[in-house]
Amino acid sequence: MELAHRPIGVFDSGVGGLTVFHALKRRLPHESMVYFGDRARCPYGDRDPREVARFALEIGRYLERLGVKLLVVACNTATAVALPRLREELAIDVVGVIEPGASQAVQASETGRIGVIGTSVTVASHAYADALRSLRPDVCVTEVACPLFVPLVEQGHVDGEAVEAVVRDSLRPLLQERIDTLVLGCTHYPLLMPVIRRVLGPAIRVISSADATAARVAELLAERGLEAPRGHEGDACFLTTGDTASLRMALATWFGEVPGERAVRHVSLPISDQPLQRTAP
Ligand code: DGL
């Protein structure tokens, strides 16, 4: 198949990367996409970083063999620990979510006091602090791990009193730091946006890297001459190592997306032993 007609690969540990998938779909409706959620091994955020890097490479290689023209690592944890390795090992372009999110935060912040929330692995890597400082050396960055958020989202709990109590408790250290901008350094967190905004109040800007990542992908496809032709109607295929029913449920509940029968498929572990999903676009 001609390279420009091939799909974009997008992956995450679970449903969080769907926030990036949807930003891509809004921005690039002509592009086809293959989404991969490694739900059987989610969460990544409390694992050994070497294990996360191994999973990321396994999925990256699988999607490359499937024929994607570009890979979006729609997972901050995998971006933090595996982006250089993925770029080294794969022949296709690889876009992560940290650099686009950091550059949007630097533009948004007036005081330079920026908070970052993410998984334990992302926070321990200081990948955001490094990216923010490389763009604006005088920023004051406070990074806080929120390990309870991903399990809440994966179980479908995104609002209500109990969720708000967890969010309030987790964000308290940031409020004390007088930040003016908060980066959602995990692609699951935008699904908690209404609660996060309620807890933070209107004065703090909240940055999700989804739109900035989609803009970067659009730029890169144009630079490489890899954009799908305007008349092309983009389609989507969803792969999961977990159960297809709960992925369908998440797609319908949060994004109003009801894919066709064959567009949602299970991939067994280990991924490297799997035959390719021949129905992928
Ligand atoms: N959504 C991912 C991230 O952006 C991973 C969350 C997890 O699996 O812990 O970091």
Side-chain angles (χ1 to χ4, degrees):
M1 193 197 289
E2 202 188 313
L3 207 52
H5 288 81
R6 291 190 183 176
I8 296 169
V10 182
F11 88 87
D12 180 40
S13 62
V15 295
L18 290 171
T19 56
V20 179
F21 171 90
H22 274 272
L24 284 161
K25 197 173 150 179
R26 275 195 306 272
R27 174 104 194 191
L28 300 164
H30 310 292
E31 300 293 340
S32 292
M33 285 189 274
V34 181
Y35 183 83
F36 192 110
D38 193 7
R39 223 159 173 210
R41 299 186 290 195
C42 184
Y44 281 5
D46 306 316
R47 291 180 181 271
D48 182 324
R50 285 167 302 188
E51 192 177 37
V52 176
R54 185 161 57 75
F55 295 167
L57 278 168
E58 193 186 4
I59 296 166
R61 288 191 190 114
Y62 180 77
L63 290 173
E64 186 175 45
R65 279 190 290 132
L66 253 176
V68 302
K69 62 183 173 185
L70 178 147
L71 179 67
V72 180
V73 186
C75 172
N76 291 264
T77 311
T79 301
V81 301
L83 189 64
R85 187 78 199 282
L86 282 163
R87 285 185 170 150
E88 234 170 71
E89 300 249 341
L90 303 183
I92 48 176
D93 281 307
V94 183
V95 176
V97 279
I98 293 183
E99 200 279 324
S103 90
Q104 206 187 336
V106 159
Q107 283 164 36
S109 176
E110 278 164 26
T111 64
R113 300 186 70 85
I114 299 176
V116 178
I117 53 173
T119 67
S120 306
V121 169
T122 301
V123 166
S125 75
H126 301 299
Y128 267 102
D130 293 346
L132 289 163
R133 287 198 190 104
S134 76
L135 294 164
R136 181 171 161 185
D138 67 331
V139 282
C140 171
V141 185
T142 308
E143 297 168 288
V144 172
C146 300
L148 299 177
F149 288 11
V150 169
L152 281 175
V153 171
E154 286 289 329
Q155 286 157 25
H157 305 306
V158 294
D159 213 337
E161 267 174 44
V163 174
E164 188 163 327
V166 172
V167 171
R168 193 173 296 285
D169 207 43
S170 306
L171 300 188
R172 191 161 295 128
L174 289 163
L175 293 171
Q176 286 157 3
E177 290 296 326
R178 294 178 292 108
I179 58 165
D180 77 340
T181 303
L182 175 70
V183 183
L184 304 184
C186 171
T187 53
H188 281 72
Y189 299 175
L191 293 162
L192 295 166
M193 190 69 103
V195 186
I196 291 173
R197 282 205 197 279
R198 257 195 328 266
V199 168
L200 292 179
I204 298 176
R205 294 186 182 95
V206 183
I207 307 292
S208 136
S209 48
D211 289 327
T213 303
R216 178 67 195 124
V217 170
E219 212 174 75
L220 202 55
L221 289 177
E223 267 169 45
R224 301 274 193 258
L226 283 180
E227 295 158 296
R230 290 285 138 178
H232 186 254
E233 203 184 311
D235 51 20
C237 161
F238 302 88
L239 307 176
T240 176
T241 54
D243 71 291
T244 51
S246 60
L247 179 57
R248 277 188 182 280
M249 175 89 89
L251 280 164
T253 313
W254 292 326
F255 302 101
E257 174 123 16
V258 184
E261 187 57 35
R262 296 174 65 78
V264 182
R265 310 203 125 215
H266 174 77
V267 175
S268 305
L269 295 171
I271 297 164
S272 45
D273 294 348
Q274 277 293 293
L276 289 177
Q277 299 285 328
R278 294 287 169 211
T279 53

